[in-house]
Amino acid sequence: MSEDKPRYDFHMHTFYSDGELIPIELIRRAFVHGNRAIAITDHVSFSNVDEIIPAIARDCEQVDGWDITSIPGAEITHVPPSKMDSAVSKARKAGAKIIVVHGESPVEPVTPGTNRKAVENPEVDILAHPGFITADEAEIAKDNGVFIEITCRQGHSLTNGHVRAIASSVGAKMLVNTDAHDCEDISTYSSARKVALGSGMSESEADDVLVKNARELLKRAGY
Ligand SMILES: [Zn+2]
Ligand SMILES: [Zn+2]
């Protein structure tokens, strides 16, 4: 039953950063797995933001005859918190419709303060894999409409249970994203639902996160 539901994934990589596929191939493969909207959010900093977002957008515009919305985005990655706001506005200007910030994953040396800086900026759409996010930070995310990510990605997902508990406790909205870097990482509705349930969500919470929250973000991004 859940196999038939549309899947939405707002955090995916191509070879424009450290993924393996070109954008149009990622879009095609995601469509075949039941994805009905994806955001391509390659790692960006000041070095590459102006080049890669328009390149990704060019493939997103070519989709024809497949029932999938493909959205050019960005994942602002390892930018110092003091430079975050400037990186976010540069990504917007370059054409990113969905902005993800690479949060304080338990498996990477992300600068402490990155989670907070991200949720303080209402221009940020998603705080990805936020590790040991605090209730305070989740509260700010809720107030600013920043979605908190439950991740399918190995390593980053070690703190999914903590992230889910904190987000639920303050009523902050979540999304389930793959952070896909190759074809095997692409999810279906039912594989993403397992990750949602594994983080501690109830069945109805999981369905809300996978469908309702995803559609809310799509609408906000103008789709
Ligand atoms: Zn990556
Ligand atoms: Zn990522």
Side-chain angles (χ1 to χ4, degrees):
M1 195 56 181
S2 62
E3 294 281 5
D4 303 324
K5 288 198 181 171
R7 168 74 182 131
Y8 306 99
D9 191 350
F10 300 103
H11 183 171
M12 303 186 94
H13 296 277
T14 72
F15 85 153
Y16 278 105
S17 58
D18 58 350
E20 288 181 357
L21 307 175
I22 57 174
I24 199 74
E25 184 177 5
L26 178 66
I27 296 164
R28 176 66 194 171
R29 288 177 179 272
F31 163 65
V32 168
H33 281 75
N35 285 242
R36 291 297 169 260
I38 64 167
I40 300 177
T41 54
D42 275 302
H43 298 289
V44 301
S45 68
F46 293 86
S47 63
N48 63 349
V49 64
D50 291 326
E51 282 73 37
I52 75 173
I53 297 172
I56 291 162
R58 283 196 292 277
D59 264 3
C60 291
E61 287 157 13
Q62 306 314 316
V63 171
D64 186 23
W66 312 336
D67 180 18
I68 183 168
T69 300
S70 50
I71 304 166
E75 181 178 19
I76 297 170
T77 305
H78 286 286
V79 166
S82 62
K83 313 285 183 186
M84 182 71 71
D85 290 346
S86 155
V88 169
S89 56
K90 274 182 90 66
R92 257 314 161 216
K93 256 186 226 140
K97 305 282 192 226
I98 288 186
I99 296 183
V100 176
V101 169
H102 185 88
E104 296 174 44
S105 164
V107 293
E108 275 187 42
V110 178
T111 309
T114 297
N115 282 353
R116 177 166 291 267
K117 198 68 199 174
V119 296
E120 282 175 351
N121 186 339
E123 277 291 299
V124 172
D125 294 297
I126 299 168
L127 174 59
H129 42 70
F132 294 99
I133 187 172
T134 64
D136 228 32
E137 289 159 356
E139 190 89 50
I140 300 167
K142 180 192 171 188
D143 292 343
N144 286 333
V146 178
F147 289 90
I148 293 176
E149 183 184 80
I150 298 299
T151 178
C152 304
R153 191 147 182 83
Q154 208 175 3
H156 294 332
S157 61
L158 285 169
T159 54
N160 272 353
H162 168 81
V163 173
R164 199 285 308 168
I166 293 284
S168 294
S169 74
V170 305
K173 287 184 178 161
M174 289 171 272
L175 289 167
V176 177
N177 294 320
T178 58
D179 202 348
H181 286 67
D182 60 40
C183 354
E184 275 86 60
D185 296 337
I186 295 170
S187 62
T188 60
Y189 187 88
S190 73
S191 71
R193 193 166 185 273
K194 280 183 195 158
V195 174
L197 296 175
S199 75
M201 289 182 208
S202 67
E203 301 215 339
S204 66
E205 196 179 9
D207 289 323
D208 269 3
V209 164
L210 291 168
V211 178
K212 216 169 110 202
N213 290 3
R215 287 183 180 159
E216 184 182 318
L217 176 56
L218 272 177
K219 199 170 162 199
R220 188 167 86 197
Y223 292 89

